[in-house]
Structure formats: C-alpha cells, structure tokens
Amino acid sequence: METKKAVEEKRGISFISKYSQKTWIYTVALAVICIVIFSGFIFSDRMLFSSDQLGGLDSKVFMRTALVHHHQFPLWFNPRLGGMPTIDALFGDALYLPSIVFSALFPVPRAIGLKMILHIFLAGFFFFLMLRRGFKVGAPLAFIGGVFYMLNPEFFSHIYPGHDGKMYVIAWLPFIVWRLKALADVPTLRNATFLGLGIGISLLTSHVQMTYFILWGLFAYTAIAVARAVAVQHEKRRALRLGMLFCIAVAIGLGIGFIQLFPSLMYIRDAFSVRGVDRGFDYAASWSLHWPEFFSLWVPEFGNTLDYYWGGNAFKLNSEYAGGIVLLLAALAVAWKPRPWRWFWAGVAVFAVLYSLGAHTPVFHIAYAIVPGVKKFRACSMIMFWFSFSTILLSLLLLKDMLSGELSGVEGKHKGKLTKRLFIVLGVIAVLAVIFSMKDMLVGFFPFIAELDTKKRQVFEANFSRNFVPMLWLWFFFAAIAAGLIIAVLNKKIKPAAAIGVIFAMGCIDVLRVDTQFIKLINPQPYFYAEPALQNIRNEMARAPFRVFSLPGALPQNGEGIHGLEGVGGFHDNELHWYRTFRGDQQDRNYFDKLVGFTPKGEAYLKAEQINQGNAFLDIANVKYLLVRNGEELLALENRNALGRVSFAPNFIIMDSSRIVPALQSGGYDYRTTVALLADPMRKPPAPTPDSLANAVAALFSAQWQRYSPNDRIVRVTVPLDGFLRISEVYYPGWKILIDGKPASVNRSDLAWMAVFLPKGEHVVEMSAHSLYLAKAELVTFPLLAFLCLYWCTIGLLRKRKNGSGG
C-alpha cells in the first residue's frame, strides 16, 4: 500500500498538472503583471507621459466631446488649422473600436494611458496563444514567452513617445502570425478569414506603415511555405491552395481596413493634402538606426538611453532593445537546431536590423530602388518590431527544447562537443565584456565614435562610465549564468524547469530595468487648466463660434482645442494645401502680417496697436482673439475687425488663386464687402453695390446661431439685399449647404473659404460636413464584416452540431 505521504504527493502533482495548463490562469497572471507595473498610474489621478499624445490632446478632447456630448462621430475637426476633414485626412485611430470605446468611457488623461496598457496586456496574451496553439508550446512556457514579448523594450518603450498606433499593431502581430501559421498548416477558408481579420484590424489602427511592414513578413512566410510544399513535400495542389487562400486573406484584410485606408489614400491622390510627393532618399532614410543604436541592441545603455543619447538622430525617445537574455537564447536556438523555419525567423531578425540601419547598409538602398511604397515612408527603424518578435520566438523554441528533455537527452561525444562549444560561448562573452569596457580601445576600434562632434562626444564620455560599463557587466553576469545553466541542463546537473525559472527571472529583470525609464507619471492638470482668459472666451464661444490665434509661447502647439476653442494654427500631416497657402505656410506668415515689429537687436515683438488696424487674413478667418503671454499671464487681445463665422458681402470679383494672397496683403479688394471667387458663380447679384453703400449694407446683416456641432451647423440670417454669404469654414468639397432646405452651390472664396449666394431676406442656412469617400468605403467594409460574422457563426454552429452528434 502507498503511504499517506505518497498519496498526498500524487494529489499535489495531479492538482498542479490539472491547473498548469489552464489558459485563464495565465491570462489573469498577465493582467496582474500589467496592473502591478502600472499601479502608480492605475490607482492615482496621474497621467502617463506620452510625448506625441500630449501634442494631440486637442483631437482626443474633441473626439470625446463629439461622442459623449453631441452623440456624433466627427467628420470635421474644428480645433486646428481653421478646421479640416477627419477621416479623409486620417484622424488617428478614430475608427479603431477599442479607441472609440475608451474615448467614450474615460476622461482623456485616463483613456490615453489605459489604451496603451490594454495593448501591453493584449501583446502578452496573443503571444501566449500563438505559442500555445500555433507552436504547441506548453502553457507555462507560453506564459514566459508572453511576458517576454509584452515587456520587451522595443514594444514597451513606445509608451514614452506616445506611439500608440505602433503599439496596437505590435500587440496584434502574434495573433496574425498565429493565424498565418494555422493557414500554412491547414489551408482552409476559415483560417484565411481569421488571418484577414488580423490584417484588417491592423489597418484600422491607422498605422499604415507598420501594417505595410507586417505584410512584408507575411508574404515572406507564405512564400517559404509554398516553396517547401512544392520542393520538399511535393504537394503542388496544397501549395496552390495555400497561395490562393493567402491572397484571399490579404483581400479580406484590405476589405476590413478599406474604411480606414481608402478615404486617406484618395484624399492624398486627389491633391487635397500637402502630402503625396516623393521627398527623396534622405527623407525615406531619416530616423533610421545608427551604429550606436545597433550596439544598443546588445547592451541598451551603449548609446540609447533617454538622458544620454549620442546617436545620429535628432533625439531618441524609445529603444529597440529586445532583451539580452532572449538575444543569446535566440542565437543558441538556431545553433542547436538549425532547421529551416528557425533560419527563417533568424533571417527576419537580421533583415529587420539591416533595413533599419537605412543608409548605412545596402539593404535599404535596394529596397528603396525596387520595393513599391518604400519611397512614401520614413523612419525605417519602425520595422524593428520584427526583430524583437523573431528573437523572442526563437528563444522560446530553445526553452521548449530544454523542457522537453532534448538537451538533457544528448549523450556521448555529441554532448561533449556541445558542452565545449558552450564554454567557448562563455569565453567569447567574457572577452567581449573586457574589450568593450576599455574606452580607448573602443574609440580606436569604431570610427563612428571618433567622428562625433564635441557635444555628442561629451555625452558619450559621460554615458560610458556612468551607464554602459556597469550594465555591460550586468549583461555578462546574466549571460554567463544563462549559458552555465544550459551547460548544467545538458549534463543533467540541474532540472530543465529550474534552469528555465532562473532564466525567466533574469530575463524579466533585464527588460524591466530598461522599461522603467520609459514610465513617467505626470500631473495632467497643467495641460487642461483653463486660465481666466481662456475661461472667459470659452464662455463667449458658447454664444457664437469664433477662432483664436495663439502667438508663440501662449499655448502649446495644437493647444486651443483642449479648452474647447478653435484655432487657426497648429500642425497636421494632411493639412489642406490651399489653407496652408492662405495662412502663409507653417510659419503663419500671413497671420503675422503688420502685427510684428523688430527691435534694433532684431528681437520680434507684437505691435498691439496694429490689431485694430486690421489684418485681412485674421479677419476673414474669424479670429476674434489673439492669445499672447505676458510673463506668467495669458492675455486675450480682441480683434474688433474680425468678420463673423458667417458674414455678408454684397459684391464679388473673379480672381485666380495665385493672386488672392498678394491682393489681401496689398488691399487689392475690400474683403469686407467683396468675396474673391475662383470661378464665375452660378447665381450672382443683378448689379454690384456701389462702394459708398457697400459697408452700410453689409452692416445690416444679422445672424443667430441655432445649432453648432462638429458635423452640423444651423444659423438664421437676414441679408439686406442679394449678395454672398461668406462662410469662414475652410473650403472642402465634403461640405453640403442648404438654404431654406434646398441645396446651394458652394463657391470657394478668398482662396481657402466658402461663399454661397443669398437673395434678400431671412434664410435658414444649414451646413453639414461629410467625407468624400467614407460612404463608398462603408459599402465594402460593412457588408464584408456582416458576411464574415455570418460565416463564422455558421461554421461554429455546424461544428457544434457535428460534435454533438458525434458524442
């Protein structure tokens, strides 16, 4: 009979084996890790610092206001650049469902951080599922892989610069690769549809370039799988089926993402945007990796820390480090079992690095010359997510071999050779640590260090002893222990599970020491605090719309919309090109016309007395207040000459677009009584109003606003005689205007604005913003999603019925 102790031990083993493979346990564990790491944010009123997000807070506030208060999905973006289309001009992640939900449920400072934390969890969860179901890795090891992936700095560090779109795509990558492997293993329409879903979701994140790079990897994997099916497995039909289903999957992905992709592509193609032209090799190769970042893939403190960056870019807010432990394990995984697919993933990692180095290697030059699309993008280092993904995957395959007993099962001469080689690896690690800890040798060995300018050389000198050398020896310590543990497993001196446990702990410490520098909590109140001047004009804005012009230093760039105001400055990649010309390019030269003076020393100052003299560009743009900072105090200086959001002009002239800006600068026409049209209008006044009466007639105009929302505006106007209603909304063909319920012909006026003919009397004017392309895109995306849902439900019901009948 078994002893009581033996029975209890068996029960304990049975309990552990029963729950050690439960997916929900590891899902909860991944969530707990995220909560612990971000507890300072989650359980406080603080905000995660995220640079790009802080520069676009106005769009987040605007989106939430539109959803929550106006119950609209906004199609026109009011706060910036006098207004511009949203979806057509690519309004960030506005069509990505998690973003919509978080924007509606949480205040902006919370939503920004929570979205990124959610996707850190999703990255780990999807990597866990990919390993568990796609690569048949046991749940505990799959959990380790999930942790390594979601905490790898190449992904995690995007929090600090606020690159949420990149994080979304990287988080979905394991799901996509899992579904691609499932399709390659079992080429069925069902698997193709799930792969298409993943591609489509990536497109909906709005980060087209990252999805473009994902497609590169998917095409490469499929090409290898098809080639192997023909050459190795001699299954030509299967290869053909796989290729066709992969094309169907890509088509499904493009169809799902069509609602995001099509409007923005057409907007650029139809020449509305300031973008759309090739900017040359230097532009495409900009924001690449440089040699300091290359060596930082090994020890990140070599040249890629937030406070001590001395690389070739203007600045660096993220890291491409995937983890020193996983990099070592990945190399050993290929050396231990050099099978085709391991070589493939190693090749993906190497290609990603070489491409990311931009002009420093031939790889990017070749891609730039022959691969479609490369010339349209910059920041080639974005592709480094494939490096981290591949190295982490390879490292887990080695751990899988260890846990399965393959390493400890080696016997005889082969074990001796492997042990010897691993000791050689230990020796190489030691030599590298010694060599790189000697600064003079390093400077002599690497010309790129000797060529640094004085400032960057000082940063290198300070960083070398303070950060790099200590972390170099920490890497040596970890790497030596990892290699020693593998030797011990190979020689049956330690159980594989114990060795993996130690490696996992070291791997977590290794990446977390890097990750923590990219978590910075800040007080959100300064970004949302409305100074008295802002409060006053915001209250006035509730009565009738107008715009403000923020002079340098008054507010952060794109800051007006945070406070519910509308500005005429700011930045957007897809700004309407005629508006950029109207304002005087990105420097707003026309808005500063006659308002800026210079001291004898060349210092600029505001000529406040000139505000009341009138600036045609500010007046037409409905700029009622100029915001200027006087020391710590924000002042709102009223522009009494500003035209209303709608104003009346009894006269018109026809003028070529190239002549309008000079005419406004020189007073070539009286913009208060006359609109400059680019073409002869369909309807016009019977006769021009004499100059002596024009101003008096225009003054008799009145307007009462009845509705003002992102997509719709209604105003009741009274005009004293036939003429034109100038509407200070930036012209875009997506605007539809009704006069007393009837469609009106919209004229582009004064280069960038709108005007409609109005007969004498009282009228109700309704303005509504529309996308030029969204309706067409919806005809593709929504029916496709409906069909896919129906297909998946049908397949699920058939499977359930089959399993039920089989039971």
Side-chain angles (χ1 to χ4, degrees):
M1 289 183 65
E2 292 183 306
T3 64
K4 182 178 179 181
K5 183 177 181 181
V7 172
E8 289 177 349
E9 286 179 351
K10 281 188 175 182
R11 286 178 179 174
I13 294 172
S14 176
F15 178 84
I16 293 173
S17 63
K18 177 181 178 181
Y19 286 98
S20 66
Q21 301 300 319
K22 295 290 185 180
T23 296
W24 69 266
I25 291 178
Y26 298 100
T27 304
V28 171
L30 291 170
V32 169
I33 291 173
C34 290
I35 292 171
V36 170
I37 291 174
F38 293 99
S39 59
F41 164 73
I42 295 173
F43 301 110
S44 75
D45 59 354
R46 312 292 279 179
M47 179 181 181
L48 282 177
F49 178 85
S50 46
S51 178
D52 283 9
Q53 300 300 307
L54 296 177
L57 285 175
D58 61 334
S59 64
K60 310 298 181 185
V61 172
F62 180 75
M63 182 71 173
R64 176 171 169 79
T65 301
L67 293 173
V68 176
H69 297 289
H70 296 289
H71 310 294
Q72 294 178 351
F73 183 88
L75 296 174
W76 190 258
F77 183 41
N78 302 334
R80 198 186 304 175
L81 298 169
M84 58 184 301
T86 56
I87 299 305
D88 293 0
L90 201 60
F91 194 50
D93 55 357
L95 293 174
Y96 183 53
L97 185 58
S99 292
I100 296 174
V101 173
F102 275 71
S103 295
L105 293 180
F106 298 100
V108 171
R110 307 302 295 170
I112 290 173
L114 289 173
K115 284 190 292 183
M116 291 190 287
I117 294 170
L118 169 67
H119 285 82
I120 288 174
F121 164 75
L122 287 178
F125 177 66
F126 286 144
F127 205 89
F128 170 83
L129 288 181
M130 179 195 74
L131 291 173
R132 186 91 169 87
R133 300 181 181 178
F135 290 86
K136 309 306 177 186
V137 174
L141 269 185
F143 170 74
I144 291 175
V147 173
F148 279 171
Y149 186 71
M150 76 179 191
L151 297 184
N152 88 85
E154 195 286 326
F155 168 60
F156 194 97
S157 66
H158 287 301
I159 291 174
Y160 190 85
H163 295 163
D164 56 353
K166 295 178 186 178
M167 296 185 72
Y168 302 162
V169 176
I170 296 171
W172 280 97
L173 177 61
F175 174 86
I176 294 171
V177 172
W178 167 32
R179 300 321 307 171
L180 176 63
K181 189 175 186 305
L183 178 64
D185 294 341
V186 184
T188 64
L189 181 60
R190 176 178 176 272
N191 285 333
T193 59
F194 285 128
L195 174 58
L197 174 66
I199 296 171
I201 290 174
S202 294
L203 285 172
L204 290 176
T205 66
S206 84
H207 212 299
V208 177
Q209 184 174 355
M210 294 286 285
T211 309
Y212 172 69
F213 286 145
I214 278 187
L215 289 173
W216 281 13
L218 303 188
F219 276 116
Y221 187 98
T222 305
I224 298 295
V226 168
R228 284 178 55 80
V230 173
V232 179
Q233 300 161 350
H234 306 292
E235 297 182 10
K236 293 183 179 179
R237 288 187 177 181
R238 184 174 181 274
L240 179 61
R241 180 177 176 81
L242 173 57
M244 291 177 62
L245 286 172
F246 176 74
C247 291
I248 290 173
V250 173
I252 290 172
L254 292 175
I256 293 172
F258 199 69
I259 195 172
Q260 175 76 74
L261 196 61
F262 178 72
S264 56
L265 288 178
M266 294 299 293
Y267 177 83
I268 294 173
R269 193 210 67 170
D270 290 343
F272 294 121
S273 172
V274 293
R275 296 181 67 176
V277 296
D278 292 337
R279 303 186 186 181
F281 180 84
D282 290 340
Y283 174 83
S286 62
W287 297 101
S288 65
L289 295 190
H290 299 269
W291 293 117
E293 289 101 322
F294 172 77
F295 286 100
S296 295
L297 299 177
W298 165 42
V299 179
E301 288 79 8
F302 182 80
N304 197 9
T305 60
L306 279 174
D307 298 326
Y308 292 89
Y309 175 68
W310 50 275
N313 294 310
F315 57 88
K316 189 78 172 178
L317 301 181
N318 69 295
S319 171
E320 283 79 22
Y321 184 62
I325 298 295
V326 300
L327 188 59
L328 174 65
L329 295 179
L332 294 177
V334 179
W336 155 248
K337 193 182 288 186
R339 293 182 177 176
W341 283 116
R342 295 198 181 188
W343 278 115
F344 170 79
W345 291 115
V348 168
V350 171
F351 174 82
V353 173
L354 295 177
Y355 182 87
S356 291
L357 282 165
H360 299 291
T361 72
V363 172
F364 184 79
H365 288 265
I366 295 170
Y368 181 85
I370 66 175
V371 179
V374 171
K375 296 179 181 180
K376 299 291 185 183
F377 299 111
R378 64 173 182 169
C380 49
S381 61
M382 287 185 192
I383 203 173
M384 282 299 290
F385 67 88
W386 274 121
F387 169 78
S388 59
F389 177 90
S390 299
T391 53
I392 294 169
L393 174 59
L394 286 169
S395 71
L396 264 293
L397 294 179
L398 179 69
L399 296 182
K400 179 185 177 184
D401 294 341
M402 288 175 60
L403 194 62
S404 66
E406 290 188 39
L407 272 176
S408 56
V410 176
E411 298 293 344
K413 293 183 178 180
H414 189 42
K415 181 170 72 173
K417 288 181 179 179
L418 287 176
T419 302
K420 183 179 179 180
R421 290 171 183 172
L422 284 168
F423 274 112
I424 292 173
V425 169
L426 273 172
V428 171
I429 289 171
V431 170
L432 284 174
V434 171
I435 291 175
F436 273 79
S437 62
M438 293 185 287
K439 183 172 60 178
D440 292 339
M441 181 177 290
L442 208 62
V443 173
F445 191 70
F446 294 120
F448 63 86
I449 298 177
E451 294 169 0
L452 292 173
D453 60 35
T454 303
K455 184 176 181 180
K456 288 191 174 183
R457 183 61 181 265
Q458 290 173 348
V459 176
F460 166 76
E461 298 274 355
N463 176 69
F464 185 85
S465 56
R466 183 173 301 181
N467 295 312
F468 174 62
V469 172
M471 292 303 106
L472 171 65
W473 286 102
L474 178 66
W475 168 82
F476 169 75
F477 177 72
F478 282 164
I481 290 177
L485 288 170
I486 294 172
I487 293 172
V489 170
L490 183 64
N491 290 274
K492 301 179 182 179
K493 301 296 184 181
I494 188 175
K495 291 184 178 180
I500 290 171
V502 175
I503 290 172
F504 174 55
M506 290 192 302
C508 289
I509 295 170
D510 180 42
V511 293
L512 282 172
R513 72 182 174 85
V514 180
D515 290 341
T516 52
Q517 70 174 301
F518 295 100
I519 302 175
K520 180 182 177 182
L521 299 181
I522 58 174
N523 181 5
Q525 294 305 316
Y527 296 93
F528 295 90
Y529 172 68
E531 299 174 69
L534 295 177
Q535 293 176 9
N536 293 334
I537 59 177
R538 185 169 60 188
N539 293 335
E540 186 177 343
M541 179 80 177
R543 296 190 291 272
F546 57 83
R547 296 192 180 92
V548 299
F549 177 47
S550 299
L551 275 69
L555 291 176
Q557 187 181 60
N558 307 327
E560 296 86 355
I562 299 173
H563 307 288
L565 301 175
E566 299 182 13
V568 291
F571 173 78
H572 194 288
D573 281 325
N574 278 327
E575 180 182 352
L576 286 158
H577 69 81
W578 47 71
Y579 180 76
R580 178 169 288 187
T581 302
F582 180 86
R583 68 172 173 134
D585 216 332
Q586 292 176 284
Q587 293 75 36
D588 294 316
R589 287 190 300 268
N590 293 334
Y591 290 145
F592 284 110
D593 186 36
K594 301 176 184 177
L595 295 180
V596 176
F598 293 91
T599 67
K601 295 182 179 180
E603 299 172 340
Y605 67 94
L606 176 67
K607 299 166 69 175
E609 70 279 2
Q610 289 294 323
I611 295 177
N612 290 330
Q613 298 301 316
N615 173 300
F617 300 93
L618 292 173
D619 295 347
I620 292 173
N622 183 220
V623 174
K624 190 173 182 180
Y625 290 98
L626 283 75
L627 300 180
V628 59
R629 192 163 292 280
N630 182 24
E632 295 296 321
E633 183 182 10
L634 182 69
L635 303 177
L637 306 180
E638 185 175 2
N639 174 23
R640 300 182 186 277
N641 295 293
L643 299 176
R645 186 61 57 92
V646 292
S647 58
F648 178 65
N651 294 328
F652 75 96
I653 58 173
I654 307 299
M655 187 176 289
D656 185 80
S657 60
S658 62
R659 295 173 51 211
I660 293 177
V661 168
L664 289 172
Q665 290 172 334
S666 63
Y669 69 95
D670 185 356
Y671 61 88
R672 297 189 171 281
T673 62
T674 304
V675 291
L677 307 180
L678 277 63
D680 199 37
M682 294 179 61
R683 298 184 64 189
K684 49 191 170 185
T689 302
D691 292 344
S692 58
L693 296 177
N695 279 299
V697 168
L700 296 174
F701 169 78
S702 65
Q704 293 83 39
W705 286 91
Q706 298 179 343
R707 176 174 172 79
Y708 190 85
S709 71
N711 295 340
D712 306 295
R713 293 97 196 269
I714 301 175
V715 60
R716 183 178 295 275
V717 300
T718 302
V719 294
L721 48 77
D722 293 355
F724 283 92
L725 183 74
R726 177 191 276 118
I727 303 172
S728 285
E729 296 289 358
V730 175
Y731 174 82
Y732 185 63
W735 279 106
K736 293 182 180 179
I737 298 179
L738 301 179
I739 307 296
D740 300 325
K742 297 178 181 179
S745 176
V746 181
N747 305 281
R748 183 172 149 202
S749 71
D750 305 301
L751 184 61
W753 311 92
M754 298 191 292
V756 294
F757 174 79
L758 276 184
K760 177 181 178 180
E762 185 177 282
H763 305 279
V764 174
V765 181
E766 301 173 68
M767 297 166 270
S768 57
H770 299 267
S771 164
L772 291 179
Y773 315 104
L774 186 61
K776 295 178 181 178
E778 289 172 345
L779 292 176
V780 174
T781 297
F782 290 149
L784 177 59
L785 286 173
F787 172 79
L788 289 174
C789 289
L790 180 62
Y791 172 76
W792 291 325
C793 289
T794 303
I795 291 294
L797 290 173
L798 290 176
R799 284 191 165 198
K800 185 176 181 181
R801 183 176 300 176
K802 181 178 179 181
N803 293 336
S805 61

